Amino acid sequence: PPAARPGHTVAPLASTAQVSRDSQFSTLHHFSLSPRKGTPAAGMRDMVAPQGKAERIERLIELETELRDDYYRTLLGRELSVLIEAELPGNSFAGTSCRYAPVEIRAGRGRESLATNNPPHEPALPAKDSRPPDVAPSSNSSPQYLPFHLATITPTSLESGRLIAQA
């Protein structure tokens, strides 16, 4: 929602917050109108001052964080499919769950523990790697251990806006 429409008081922002909570949104798109030449906003009167816009955007960001974390908490303890998208330092993997929540999988023994707990689906046909040869991994890499592996996990905690699971 626009954070500061011309002439708006703080009341519409409170209404937006209430509707967002009642609807159980997990994300919000927040923006302020920009009075650039040639746009409808350029001719509008009673524009909210830049500091007021910034304060309202900050309140919407805080609301979004609250709503997002409330939603992610509902996923704790539930079995989720996760598309692994990257290997992180410290024997961890990053991915996105089937419920669109970011996930960090902490794999005690690294790739080995992830592969042991999440064998590739049968039949395991590796996808064609469309990356240029100088970027693609060597052909002797095991596809089941690379990013873009599908894993099944059960998150146990929430940290910094992402679900945490152990492999």
Side-chain angles (χ1 to χ4, degrees), residues 6 11-13 16 21 23 28 34-35 69 74 79 89 98 108 112 137 140 143 148-151 158:
L13 189 65
T16 295
R21 283 188 179 93
S23 301
L28 300 174
S34 176
D69 287 352
T74 69
E79 189 173 275
C98 57
E112 180 183 325
N140 63 1
F148 306 110
H149 176 77
L150 188 63
L158 176 65

PDB file of all heavy atoms in Angstrom, residues 6 11-13 16 21 23 28 34-35 69 74 79 89 98 108 112 137 140 143 148-151 158:
ATOM      1  N   PRO A   6      -1.081  11.772  -0.764  1.00  0.00           N
ATOM      2  CA  PRO A   6      -1.303  13.190  -0.455  1.00  0.00           C
ATOM      3  C   PRO A   6      -2.558  13.376   0.392  1.00  0.00           C
ATOM      4  O   PRO A   6      -3.602  12.784   0.113  1.00  0.00           O
ATOM      5  CB  PRO A   6      -1.464  13.828  -1.839  1.00  0.00           C
ATOM      6  CG  PRO A   6      -0.695  12.925  -2.754  1.00  0.00           C
ATOM      7  CD  PRO A   6      -0.895  11.538  -2.188  1.00  0.00           C
ATOM      8  N   ALA A  11      -4.204   7.716  10.099  1.00  0.00           N
ATOM      9  CA  ALA A  11      -5.348   6.801  10.227  1.00  0.00           C
ATOM     10  C   ALA A  11      -5.404   5.758   9.116  1.00  0.00           C
ATOM     11  O   ALA A  11      -5.620   4.576   9.400  1.00  0.00           O
ATOM     12  CB  ALA A  11      -6.650   7.589  10.301  1.00  0.00           C
ATOM     13  N   PRO A  12      -5.229   6.114   7.832  1.00  0.00           N
ATOM     14  CA  PRO A  12      -5.248   5.073   6.801  1.00  0.00           C
ATOM     15  C   PRO A  12      -4.152   4.027   6.991  1.00  0.00           C
ATOM     16  O   PRO A  12      -4.332   2.868   6.661  1.00  0.00           O
ATOM     17  CB  PRO A  12      -5.048   5.841   5.492  1.00  0.00           C
ATOM     18  CG  PRO A  12      -5.527   7.218   5.790  1.00  0.00           C
ATOM     19  CD  PRO A  12      -5.159   7.452   7.241  1.00  0.00           C
ATOM     20  N   LEU A  13      -3.018   4.447   7.537  1.00  0.00           N
ATOM     21  CA  LEU A  13      -1.932   3.504   7.797  1.00  0.00           C
ATOM     22  C   LEU A  13      -2.358   2.500   8.865  1.00  0.00           C
ATOM     23  O   LEU A  13      -2.098   1.305   8.735  1.00  0.00           O
ATOM     24  CB  LEU A  13      -0.673   4.249   8.228  1.00  0.00           C
ATOM     25  CG  LEU A  13       0.599   3.417   8.340  1.00  0.00           C
ATOM     26  CD1 LEU A  13       1.019   2.876   6.979  1.00  0.00           C
ATOM     27  CD2 LEU A  13       1.719   4.258   8.919  1.00  0.00           C
ATOM     28  N   THR A  16      -4.674   0.073   7.213  1.00  0.00           N
ATOM     29  CA  THR A  16      -3.900  -0.872   6.404  1.00  0.00           C
ATOM     30  C   THR A  16      -3.288  -1.948   7.295  1.00  0.00           C
ATOM     31  O   THR A  16      -3.321  -3.135   6.962  1.00  0.00           O
ATOM     32  CB  THR A  16      -2.792  -0.139   5.618  1.00  0.00           C
ATOM     33  OG1 THR A  16      -3.397   0.742   4.683  1.00  0.00           O
ATOM     34  CG2 THR A  16      -1.864  -1.109   4.906  1.00  0.00           C
ATOM     35  N   ARG A  21      -3.260  -7.540   9.197  1.00  0.00           N
ATOM     36  CA  ARG A  21      -3.287  -8.538  10.287  1.00  0.00           C
ATOM     37  C   ARG A  21      -4.492  -9.460  10.147  1.00  0.00           C
ATOM     38  O   ARG A  21      -4.369 -10.679  10.258  1.00  0.00           O
ATOM     39  CB  ARG A  21      -3.323  -7.839  11.643  1.00  0.00           C
ATOM     40  CG  ARG A  21      -2.007  -7.289  12.090  1.00  0.00           C
ATOM     41  CD  ARG A  21      -2.069  -6.774  13.537  1.00  0.00           C
ATOM     42  NE  ARG A  21      -0.778  -6.287  13.934  1.00  0.00           N
ATOM     43  CZ  ARG A  21      -0.396  -5.014  13.823  1.00  0.00           C
ATOM     44  NH1 ARG A  21      -1.225  -4.103  13.338  1.00  0.00           N
ATOM     45  NH2 ARG A  21       0.811  -4.642  14.201  1.00  0.00           N
ATOM     46  N   SER A  23      -6.140 -10.250   7.550  1.00  0.00           N
ATOM     47  CA  SER A  23      -6.012 -11.098   6.362  1.00  0.00           C
ATOM     48  C   SER A  23      -4.856 -12.087   6.472  1.00  0.00           C
ATOM     49  O   SER A  23      -4.704 -12.942   5.613  1.00  0.00           O
ATOM     50  CB  SER A  23      -5.801 -10.227   5.122  1.00  0.00           C
ATOM     51  OG  SER A  23      -6.886  -9.348   4.960  1.00  0.00           O
ATOM     52  N   LEU A  28       4.160  -7.512   2.469  1.00  0.00           N
ATOM     53  CA  LEU A  28       3.522  -6.264   2.058  1.00  0.00           C
ATOM     54  C   LEU A  28       4.419  -5.595   1.029  1.00  0.00           C
ATOM     55  O   LEU A  28       5.640  -5.714   1.095  1.00  0.00           O
ATOM     56  CB  LEU A  28       3.364  -5.310   3.249  1.00  0.00           C
ATOM     57  CG  LEU A  28       2.542  -5.775   4.440  1.00  0.00           C
ATOM     58  CD1 LEU A  28       2.642  -4.753   5.568  1.00  0.00           C
ATOM     59  CD2 LEU A  28       1.100  -5.972   4.038  1.00  0.00           C
ATOM     60  N   SER A  34       5.946   9.250  -5.777  1.00  0.00           N
ATOM     61  CA  SER A  34       7.081  10.067  -6.150  1.00  0.00           C
ATOM     62  C   SER A  34       6.607  11.154  -7.110  1.00  0.00           C
ATOM     63  O   SER A  34       6.136  10.853  -8.205  1.00  0.00           O
ATOM     64  CB  SER A  34       8.131   9.185  -6.831  1.00  0.00           C
ATOM     65  OG  SER A  34       9.200   9.959  -7.279  1.00  0.00           O
ATOM     66  N   PRO A  35       6.716  12.411  -6.706  1.00  0.00           N
ATOM     67  CA  PRO A  35       6.224  13.494  -7.564  1.00  0.00           C
ATOM     68  C   PRO A  35       7.193  13.857  -8.684  1.00  0.00           C
ATOM     69  O   PRO A  35       7.678  14.978  -8.772  1.00  0.00           O
ATOM     70  CB  PRO A  35       6.036  14.644  -6.580  1.00  0.00           C
ATOM     71  CG  PRO A  35       7.075  14.407  -5.538  1.00  0.00           C
ATOM     72  CD  PRO A  35       7.194  12.904  -5.430  1.00  0.00           C
ATOM     73  N   ASP A  69       7.082 -13.242  10.269  1.00  0.00           N
ATOM     74  CA  ASP A  69       7.525 -14.158  11.313  1.00  0.00           C
ATOM     75  C   ASP A  69       6.362 -14.937  11.911  1.00  0.00           C
ATOM     76  O   ASP A  69       6.514 -16.116  12.242  1.00  0.00           O
ATOM     77  CB  ASP A  69       8.311 -13.411  12.390  1.00  0.00           C
ATOM     78  CG  ASP A  69       9.702 -12.986  11.905  1.00  0.00           C
ATOM     79  OD1 ASP A  69      10.116 -13.392  10.794  1.00  0.00           O
ATOM     80  OD2 ASP A  69      10.370 -12.246  12.645  1.00  0.00           O
ATOM     81  N   THR A  74       4.152 -20.676  11.972  1.00  0.00           N
ATOM     82  CA  THR A  74       3.144 -21.720  11.730  1.00  0.00           C
ATOM     83  C   THR A  74       3.746 -22.901  10.976  1.00  0.00           C
ATOM     84  O   THR A  74       3.139 -23.978  10.938  1.00  0.00           O
ATOM     85  CB  THR A  74       1.919 -21.199  10.934  1.00  0.00           C
ATOM     86  OG1 THR A  74       2.307 -20.898   9.583  1.00  0.00           O
ATOM     87  CG2 THR A  74       1.301 -19.976  11.594  1.00  0.00           C
ATOM     88  N   GLU A  79       6.580 -30.889   8.135  1.00  0.00           N
ATOM     89  CA  GLU A  79       7.459 -31.398   7.092  1.00  0.00           C
ATOM     90  C   GLU A  79       7.261 -30.553   5.833  1.00  0.00           C
ATOM     91  O   GLU A  79       6.136 -30.357   5.382  1.00  0.00           O
ATOM     92  CB  GLU A  79       7.134 -32.864   6.813  1.00  0.00           C
ATOM     93  CG  GLU A  79       8.140 -33.532   5.911  1.00  0.00           C
ATOM     94  CD  GLU A  79       7.892 -35.020   5.795  1.00  0.00           C
ATOM     95  OE1 GLU A  79       8.381 -35.760   6.671  1.00  0.00           O
ATOM     96  OE2 GLU A  79       7.200 -35.420   4.835  1.00  0.00           O
ATOM     97  N   PRO A  89      28.732 -21.450   3.875  1.00  0.00           N
ATOM     98  CA  PRO A  89      29.865 -21.847   4.718  1.00  0.00           C
ATOM     99  C   PRO A  89      29.358 -22.559   5.975  1.00  0.00           C
ATOM    100  O   PRO A  89      28.235 -22.335   6.423  1.00  0.00           O
ATOM    101  CB  PRO A  89      30.527 -20.518   5.086  1.00  0.00           C
ATOM    102  CG  PRO A  89      30.004 -19.517   4.115  1.00  0.00           C
ATOM    103  CD  PRO A  89      28.659 -20.019   3.674  1.00  0.00           C
ATOM    104  N   CYS A  98       8.434 -25.165   0.024  1.00  0.00           N
ATOM    105  CA  CYS A  98       7.226 -25.230  -0.792  1.00  0.00           C
ATOM    106  C   CYS A  98       6.196 -24.198  -0.346  1.00  0.00           C
ATOM    107  O   CYS A  98       5.242 -23.923  -1.059  1.00  0.00           O
ATOM    108  CB  CYS A  98       6.628 -26.638  -0.716  1.00  0.00           C
ATOM    109  SG  CYS A  98       6.256 -27.182   0.969  1.00  0.00           S
ATOM    110  N   GLY A 108      25.258 -31.292   9.677  1.00  0.00           N
ATOM    111  CA  GLY A 108      26.420 -31.584  10.517  1.00  0.00           C
ATOM    112  C   GLY A 108      27.605 -32.137   9.754  1.00  0.00           C
ATOM    113  O   GLY A 108      28.738 -31.749   9.976  1.00  0.00           O
ATOM    114  N   GLU A 112      27.299 -34.829   2.779  1.00  0.00           N
ATOM    115  CA  GLU A 112      27.035 -36.239   3.062  1.00  0.00           C
ATOM    116  C   GLU A 112      25.766 -36.416   3.901  1.00  0.00           C
ATOM    117  O   GLU A 112      24.928 -37.247   3.598  1.00  0.00           O
ATOM    118  CB  GLU A 112      28.235 -36.850   3.790  1.00  0.00           C
ATOM    119  CG  GLU A 112      28.064 -38.317   4.119  1.00  0.00           C
ATOM    120  CD  GLU A 112      29.238 -38.858   4.909  1.00  0.00           C
ATOM    121  OE1 GLU A 112      30.385 -38.429   4.664  1.00  0.00           O
ATOM    122  OE2 GLU A 112      28.998 -39.701   5.780  1.00  0.00           O
ATOM    123  N   PRO A 137      29.822 -26.743 -12.945  1.00  0.00           N
ATOM    124  CA  PRO A 137      30.726 -27.610 -12.182  1.00  0.00           C
ATOM    125  C   PRO A 137      31.277 -28.718 -13.092  1.00  0.00           C
ATOM    126  O   PRO A 137      30.717 -29.018 -14.138  1.00  0.00           O
ATOM    127  CB  PRO A 137      29.828 -28.187 -11.093  1.00  0.00           C
ATOM    128  CG  PRO A 137      28.445 -28.058 -11.616  1.00  0.00           C
ATOM    129  CD  PRO A 137      28.443 -26.868 -12.526  1.00  0.00           C
ATOM    130  N   ASN A 140      32.397 -34.600 -13.063  1.00  0.00           N
ATOM    131  CA  ASN A 140      32.536 -35.671 -12.088  1.00  0.00           C
ATOM    132  C   ASN A 140      31.850 -35.329 -10.759  1.00  0.00           C
ATOM    133  O   ASN A 140      31.951 -36.067  -9.802  1.00  0.00           O
ATOM    134  CB  ASN A 140      34.014 -36.030 -11.873  1.00  0.00           C
ATOM    135  CG  ASN A 140      34.813 -34.870 -11.305  1.00  0.00           C
ATOM    136  OD1 ASN A 140      34.271 -33.798 -11.058  1.00  0.00           O
ATOM    137  ND2 ASN A 140      36.106 -35.080 -11.122  1.00  0.00           N
ATOM    138  N   PRO A 143      25.410 -35.065  -8.964  1.00  0.00           N
ATOM    139  CA  PRO A 143      24.272 -34.153  -9.047  1.00  0.00           C
ATOM    140  C   PRO A 143      23.423 -34.114  -7.781  1.00  0.00           C
ATOM    141  O   PRO A 143      22.894 -33.089  -7.437  1.00  0.00           O
ATOM    142  CB  PRO A 143      23.456 -34.681 -10.229  1.00  0.00           C
ATOM    143  CG  PRO A 143      24.335 -35.620 -10.942  1.00  0.00           C
ATOM    144  CD  PRO A 143      25.406 -36.053 -10.011  1.00  0.00           C
ATOM    145  N   PHE A 148      19.990 -27.167  -6.031  1.00  0.00           N
ATOM    146  CA  PHE A 148      18.823 -27.521  -6.823  1.00  0.00           C
ATOM    147  C   PHE A 148      18.404 -28.966  -6.580  1.00  0.00           C
ATOM    148  O   PHE A 148      17.677 -29.557  -7.337  1.00  0.00           O
ATOM    149  CB  PHE A 148      18.989 -27.190  -8.315  1.00  0.00           C
ATOM    150  CG  PHE A 148      19.355 -25.751  -8.502  1.00  0.00           C
ATOM    151  CD1 PHE A 148      20.602 -25.383  -8.933  1.00  0.00           C
ATOM    152  CD2 PHE A 148      18.452 -24.754  -8.171  1.00  0.00           C
ATOM    153  CE1 PHE A 148      20.947 -24.041  -9.055  1.00  0.00           C
ATOM    154  CE2 PHE A 148      18.786 -23.417  -8.294  1.00  0.00           C
ATOM    155  CZ  PHE A 148      20.029 -23.071  -8.736  1.00  0.00           C
ATOM    156  N   HIS A 149      18.870 -29.493  -5.464  1.00  0.00           N
ATOM    157  CA  HIS A 149      18.413 -30.782  -4.959  1.00  0.00           C
ATOM    158  C   HIS A 149      17.145 -30.503  -4.157  1.00  0.00           C
ATOM    159  O   HIS A 149      17.041 -29.481  -3.493  1.00  0.00           O
ATOM    160  CB  HIS A 149      19.517 -31.371  -4.062  1.00  0.00           C
ATOM    161  CG  HIS A 149      19.160 -32.647  -3.386  1.00  0.00           C
ATOM    162  ND1 HIS A 149      19.149 -33.841  -4.045  1.00  0.00           N
ATOM    163  CD2 HIS A 149      18.810 -32.911  -2.110  1.00  0.00           C
ATOM    164  CE1 HIS A 149      18.813 -34.799  -3.191  1.00  0.00           C
ATOM    165  NE2 HIS A 149      18.602 -34.251  -2.021  1.00  0.00           N
ATOM    166  N   LEU A 150      16.183 -31.379  -4.217  1.00  0.00           N
ATOM    167  CA  LEU A 150      14.965 -31.226  -3.443  1.00  0.00           C
ATOM    168  C   LEU A 150      15.123 -32.013  -2.152  1.00  0.00           C
ATOM    169  O   LEU A 150      15.443 -33.204  -2.186  1.00  0.00           O
ATOM    170  CB  LEU A 150      13.760 -31.733  -4.238  1.00  0.00           C
ATOM    171  CG  LEU A 150      12.390 -31.461  -3.641  1.00  0.00           C
ATOM    172  CD1 LEU A 150      12.134 -29.958  -3.538  1.00  0.00           C
ATOM    173  CD2 LEU A 150      11.317 -32.111  -4.491  1.00  0.00           C
ATOM    174  N   ALA A 151      14.949 -31.350  -1.025  1.00  0.00           N
ATOM    175  CA  ALA A 151      15.090 -31.999   0.277  1.00  0.00           C
ATOM    176  C   ALA A 151      13.774 -31.905   1.040  1.00  0.00           C
ATOM    177  O   ALA A 151      12.984 -30.991   0.816  1.00  0.00           O
ATOM    178  CB  ALA A 151      16.199 -31.328   1.079  1.00  0.00           C
ATOM    179  N   LEU A 158      13.293 -20.399  14.097  1.00  0.00           N
ATOM    180  CA  LEU A 158      13.238 -19.254  13.189  1.00  0.00           C
ATOM    181  C   LEU A 158      14.327 -18.289  13.617  1.00  0.00           C
ATOM    182  O   LEU A 158      14.401 -17.910  14.785  1.00  0.00           O
ATOM    183  CB  LEU A 158      11.859 -18.591  13.298  1.00  0.00           C
ATOM    184  CG  LEU A 158      11.608 -17.314  12.515  1.00  0.00           C
ATOM    185  CD1 LEU A 158      11.670 -17.591  11.015  1.00  0.00           C
ATOM    186  CD2 LEU A 158      10.240 -16.748  12.879  1.00  0.00           C
TER     187      LEU A 158
END
